[in-house]
Amino acid sequence: MDDEDLHLLPRTRAADLLEWAAEEGLEAVPEPAVRTVLTLLELGGARMHDGFPELTSPVLEHLLYEQLHLYVQPDGDARAYPAAVRLLIEWQRAARRLNAKRLAKLREETDWQGEVLVDSLLLRSDLLTWPRLYTLLLRADGVPVEDLDRVRGWLEEFRALDVEDRFAAYGQVPGVEPDGGWGPERALLVGVSTDGARRLLEQGLMRRSYRNLAELTARGLPMPDELAGEFEEFEEAVAQAAIDLCGEWTVPGLARLLLEEFPELAPEVY
C-alpha cells in the first residue's frame, strides 16, 4: 500500500488516467470530473486494483444513478462525468480486466445511464441538495465563486429576504427544470437529501480508513495521525473531510458556510 493511501481522503490516479488517455488518443476529459468520478467510486465501495476502482454493473449504476446528482453541480458540460467513466472502462480493457462481453455491457450501460444523469437527474428540482442549489443561484447572479468573501456577502443579502421571496428565487433558478414545488415541504426534502448525502460520504471515508487500519495492523506499522486519536476526533475529521468534498464538487467553501454560518438558509432539521 502506497503512503498516499494512508490519508483520510482518497488520492486518486486521475492524472495517470488522463496521461494514458492522451497517449492512446482518447477523448480529453476535464480532470475535475475524472477526479470526482474516481473519488466517488472508491468511497462508494468499489473494489480497488492498482489504485483504480473496478467497474461492475452495480458499481456503475450506483455512481451514475444514485451518487453523482447528490454532489455535483458542474460549471460546464455534465457529460464529462460519463466520459470519465468511459476512460476508466477503456483503462480496464487495456489492462485486460474486462472480457468482451463485460466490456460491451459496461459501455452500453454508461451510455444510457449517463444520458439519464445529464438529461434528467441533474435537472430535477426535487433532487437538489443545498450546496447544488446555492451554486446555481450564485452563478446566476454572477458572483465570483472563487472569492469566498463575495460568496459570504451574497448569502448575507439573500438571508435578508423573506422566506417566501427565497422560495420564489429557488423556483426560478436556471439550470434545473421548474416544477412549481417550492415551499416548506420541498425545503425539508432538500435538507434531508443534503444531510443524507454528506453522511454517505462520511461512511465511505470511514470504510476507507478502516481498510487502511486493518492493513497497517497486519503489517505491524503505526497508524497515521488521522486514525490514531480518540474516536470522537476521528469522527470529527471524517465529518470535516465530507464537508470539504461537498464544497469541492460545487463551490469550494460553500457547504461549510451553509452549515456553520447560514444554517437558516439550508436547514437540515427534521
Side-chain angles (χ1 to χ4, degrees):
M1 183 170 59
D2 188 86
D3 286 345
E4 287 288 291
D5 290 332
L6 303 183
H7 294 278
L8 186 61
L9 290 172
R11 270 61 170 178
T12 72
R13 293 188 60 189
D16 294 333
L17 182 58
L18 288 170
E19 182 180 355
W20 171 83
E23 292 172 353
E24 295 294 313
L26 299 176
E27 175 188 5
V29 180
E31 183 173 0
V34 176
R35 191 169 57 248
T36 298
V37 162
L38 295 179
T39 298
L40 282 173
L41 284 169
E42 181 173 353
L43 295 183
R47 293 180 59 184
M48 302 295 291
H49 177 79
D50 194 25
F52 288 100
E54 293 265 87
L55 285 173
T56 64
S57 292
V59 165
L60 186 62
E61 181 178 3
H62 183 53
L63 173 74
L64 292 175
Y65 199 71
E66 299 175 12
Q67 284 183 293
L68 277 165
H69 72 268
L70 292 174
Y71 302 108
V72 303
Q73 192 55 59
D75 187 14
D77 192 347
R79 289 174 176 79
Y81 299 106
V85 174
R86 293 187 192 96
L87 284 189
L88 185 56
I89 292 172
E90 296 309 314
W91 170 277
Q92 288 186 213
R93 173 195 57 78
R96 300 184 178 181
R97 303 290 297 175
L98 296 172
N99 59 34
K101 183 177 180 180
R102 287 182 61 209
L103 174 63
K105 189 168 188 281
L106 287 175
R107 283 173 171 169
E108 179 183 357
E109 289 171 343
T110 300
D111 287 344
W112 75 262
Q113 290 182 27
E115 288 182 7
V116 171
L117 171 71
V118 173
D119 297 333
S120 177
L121 300 180
L122 287 174
L123 301 180
R124 285 177 52 179
S125 298
D126 61 323
L127 295 181
L128 285 167
T129 57
W130 290 123
R132 286 189 58 214
L133 174 59
Y134 279 99
T135 295
L136 290 169
L137 288 167
L138 287 160
R139 290 175 182 162
D141 275 4
V143 179
V145 294
E146 68 279 358
D147 186 337
L148 199 59
D149 287 335
R150 296 284 294 276
V151 171
R152 181 183 285 106
W154 184 93
L155 290 171
E156 289 172 348
E157 293 179 4
F158 195 74
R159 179 166 56 186
L161 297 176
D162 293 336
V163 172
E164 293 304 319
D165 290 335
R166 296 205 295 263
F167 285 153
Y170 299 153
Q172 298 169 11
V173 65
V176 292
E177 297 172 349
D179 61 4
W182 271 103
E185 291 183 358
R186 172 62 57 79
L188 176 64
L189 174 63
V190 172
V192 170
S193 297
T194 302
D195 178 68
R198 195 172 58 252
R199 291 183 185 277
L200 287 173
L201 284 182
E202 292 175 7
Q203 292 170 12
L205 290 165
M206 283 189 173
R207 283 196 304 268
R208 183 178 190 277
S209 295
Y210 292 152
R211 288 196 302 269
N212 292 339
L213 176 58
E215 185 167 343
L216 287 172
T217 301
R219 295 170 60 187
L221 296 174
M223 290 186 291
D225 291 341
E226 290 160 319
L227 304 181
E230 297 293 333
F231 183 72
E232 291 77 10
E233 295 175 359
F234 173 53
E235 280 189 314
E236 180 61 21
V238 167
Q240 296 304 315
I243 294 170
D244 289 339
L245 282 176
C246 290
E248 178 181 330
W249 297 328
T250 50
V251 169
L254 174 61
R256 186 174 301 281
L257 282 177
L258 292 173
L259 270 171
E260 297 178 356
E261 298 184 32
F262 300 91
E264 65 274 40
L265 293 184
E268 297 181 11
V269 178
Y270 53 92

